[in-house]
Amino acid sequence: MEHYKVISEMDGTVQCFYICETDTLEMVLDPSRYLMHKTMSNKSPNTVRRNAYSLAAYLEYLKIQGKTADQVIKMEYEEQSSHFVKFLHWLKEGNHRETEEIKIPNNGTCNAYLKDVFRFYLFMEMQGKYESLKVLYYDSFTTVNHAGVQRRLRYRAFKGYLKEEERKVRAAEQNEILTLLKACTNCRDQLLILLAAETGYRIGEILGIDYTKDIDFRNHTIRIYFRDDNENGARAKNAEYRRAKVSNETFEFLMYYLAEYRKLLQRQQLLFINIAGEDAGKAWDVDAVYSMFRRMEHKTGIKVTPHMLRRYFAVMRRKAGWRLEMISEALGHKHLETTVKYLNIVDDELLEASDAYYAKHSALYNVEQLL
């Protein structure tokens, strides 16, 4: 981008925009204020960085169009809708890319950029600076809480998003997990797979577990807390506190792991560490974990990722009869619709209900008489 760039501070937690002399200071202060709000809300550095890139792209688009955010707010509905739809297509054509080597984004990525832009406008609306965008309308869906009480949740929606490609993300299967566990060459890798499958924690949350503080040895639970100073950069998303209980067998295996690598673990407090080489005893990081899963795929022919283990947790709890809100809380989802997408609940339950209905009413229309 020629005019707007994302700059990270030394600690990697604050992003801002570089502007050329022809830009007004106000065009940059508002996004910077929003990003600082995200940072102060303990959003992960990756989330803040993505927000920054989204807003940088949008500011560049505004500059090309010769518009300001204030002018967009004052547009009539049709013009405002056209403005944001054209922004989506501008992104889809790759006009926001800094180099040709960066791949063209898919529809889901373009939509995610626009959602970040809408969050910025909503933030400025809450600050009392902007009026509401005319193109955002309230939609809702009904859910049932743990007490069986229905409630309606409202959220802002936009009708002009690009149709997203179907994400083919599936849950890991139990037999695949068993195969991976048998193929592991050390108990550290086995423990990580077990904890991911039994807690539903994100991989960053698991790598941030402090074995001196976060393990409840009496109740066999593992807690996660927000920390922004972990050696490996791992942190809990959305500054959440949660805890999860693991099986007695897995907890015994955790005790075995702690005993097996006791000397190495004494060098720091994070549960998962490098166990060999020059970095032995240092905290394990996300890149190393994904490298381990790629090695396991090459060894077994089975592709499993940490996210697939997280979905396995959700699917198994659903089959066990957990209510949707309990699963959502266990996963740390901020929005219930995210959990619904995880489980394909609508499609699955409609099919099950249809099967049950037609099993009882198979002769509803006397179709056999028409044959």
Side-chain angles (χ1 to χ4, degrees):
M1 281 171 247
E2 183 180 356
H3 301 290
Y4 297 96
K5 294 183 180 179
V6 177
I7 302 175
S8 297
E9 299 291 338
M10 292 294 292
D11 60 2
T13 59
V14 179
Q15 285 74 36
C16 60
F17 297 106
Y18 167 83
I19 58 173
C20 60
E21 294 180 359
T22 58
D23 290 326
T24 63
L25 183 61
E26 185 177 9
M27 290 178 69
V28 178
L29 282 180
D30 285 345
S32 296
R33 188 179 299 117
Y34 171 67
L35 294 173
M36 182 58 69
H37 161 72
K38 288 288 187 179
T39 301
M40 296 301 292
S41 299
N42 290 329
K43 297 298 182 183
S44 72
N46 286 338
T47 297
V48 179
R49 190 175 298 112
R50 189 202 67 204
N51 291 158
Y53 278 114
S54 299
L55 291 178
Y58 182 63
L59 287 175
E60 187 68 18
Y61 176 74
L62 282 177
K63 191 171 189 69
I64 292 171
Q65 297 298 312
K67 303 289 186 183
T68 66
D70 287 336
Q71 291 173 328
V72 172
I73 288 289
K74 295 174 182 176
M75 290 177 179
E76 295 301 322
Y77 174 85
E78 293 295 337
E79 185 183 6
Q80 200 176 85
S81 179
S82 176
H83 168 78
F84 289 116
V85 169
K86 287 179 179 178
F87 173 60
L88 284 172
H89 287 284
W90 182 80
L91 292 171
K92 184 63 179 176
E93 293 170 0
N95 293 310
H96 66 298
R97 297 180 299 164
E98 295 182 356
T99 65
E100 292 296 325
E101 287 72 26
I102 300 176
K103 67 179 182 179
I104 298 292
N106 60 34
N107 290 357
T109 300
C110 294
N111 290 341
Y113 269 55
L114 182 54
K115 289 176 184 178
D116 286 337
V117 171
F118 283 152
R119 292 187 185 102
F120 162 69
Y121 274 105
L122 290 172
F123 171 78
M124 297 306 295
E125 177 188 338
M126 293 174 63
Q127 296 295 308
K129 178 161 186 178
Y130 291 173
E131 297 177 5
S132 300
L133 286 171
K134 299 177 181 67
V135 296
L136 294 184
Y137 66 96
Y138 277 106
D139 202 350
S140 64
F141 67 96
T142 301
T143 183
V144 180
N145 66 17
H146 65 280
V149 178
Q150 288 189 345
R151 63 174 176 147
R152 185 169 293 274
L153 301 179
R154 302 178 74 202
Y155 61 96
R156 296 282 188 97
F158 174 62
K159 293 181 178 179
Y161 289 121
L162 298 173
K163 183 177 180 181
E164 296 189 16
E165 302 85 350
E166 183 179 356
R167 292 187 64 191
K168 297 182 179 179
V169 180
R170 64 176 182 86
E173 301 286 344
Q174 185 174 11
N175 63 324
E176 293 175 329
I177 296 174
L178 292 174
T179 300
L180 291 183
L181 290 172
K182 292 178 181 178
C184 289
T185 58
N186 61 76
C187 62
R188 177 203 60 186
D189 298 354
Q190 291 172 322
L191 179 63
L192 183 133
I193 292 172
L194 287 169
L195 291 187
E198 290 200 4
T199 64
Y201 288 164
R202 301 174 180 92
I203 191 61
E205 294 170 336
I206 291 176
L207 292 179
I209 294 172
D210 183 332
Y211 69 89
T212 68
K213 300 176 181 178
D214 299 342
I215 300 174
D216 184 339
F217 293 90
R218 174 177 296 179
N219 297 309
H220 295 185
T221 59
I222 298 176
R223 300 177 287 254
I224 54 172
Y225 294 91
F226 169 79
R227 300 185 182 94
D228 58 4
D229 58 351
N230 287 330
E231 177 186 340
N232 57 359
R235 54 193 282 163
K237 190 175 182 180
N238 300 325
E240 295 167 332
Y241 160 77
R242 303 198 313 282
R243 63 177 180 173
K245 189 177 183 68
V246 298
S247 65
N248 292 336
E249 293 78 7
T250 294
F251 198 82
E252 288 180 8
F253 195 81
L254 168 61
M255 296 299 99
Y256 170 75
Y257 165 80
L258 291 174
E260 181 73 9
Y261 296 109
R262 177 176 56 84
K263 292 183 179 180
L264 289 177
L265 286 166
Q266 288 176 347
R267 301 180 184 181
Q268 48 79 50
Q269 296 178 316
L270 293 184
L271 178 61
F272 286 99
I273 57 172
N274 291 294
I275 57 177
E278 295 180 356
D279 292 331
K282 292 185 178 180
W284 215 18
D285 61 30
V286 172
D287 290 340
V289 170
Y290 277 96
S291 294
M292 181 272 288
F293 277 100
R294 286 193 292 270
R295 291 195 304 271
M296 298 301 294
E297 180 183 357
H298 180 75
K299 185 175 182 179
T300 65
I302 297 174
K303 179 179 178 59
V304 169
T305 65
H307 188 67
M308 291 169 64
L309 293 172
R310 185 165 153 82
R311 287 189 176 239
Y312 165 82
F313 168 89
V315 169
M316 294 301 291
R317 295 319 182 266
R318 181 66 177 174
K319 290 181 178 179
W322 282 30
R323 288 194 175 275
L324 182 59
E325 287 191 337
M326 290 180 62
I327 299 174
S328 184
E329 183 176 348
L331 292 172
H333 285 159
K334 290 186 67 177
H335 305 290
L336 204 58
E337 58 263 32
T338 305
T339 312
V340 172
K341 292 178 181 178
Y342 256 53
L343 297 168
N344 294 319
I345 286 175
V346 175
D347 290 342
D348 290 346
E349 292 192 348
L350 281 176
L351 289 174
E352 290 176 6
S354 296
D355 287 341
Y357 178 82
Y358 288 124
K360 294 181 179 179
H361 306 283
S362 58
L364 194 61
Y365 305 108
N366 297 321
V367 175
E368 69 280 359
Q369 297 180 12
L370 304 177
L371 301 176

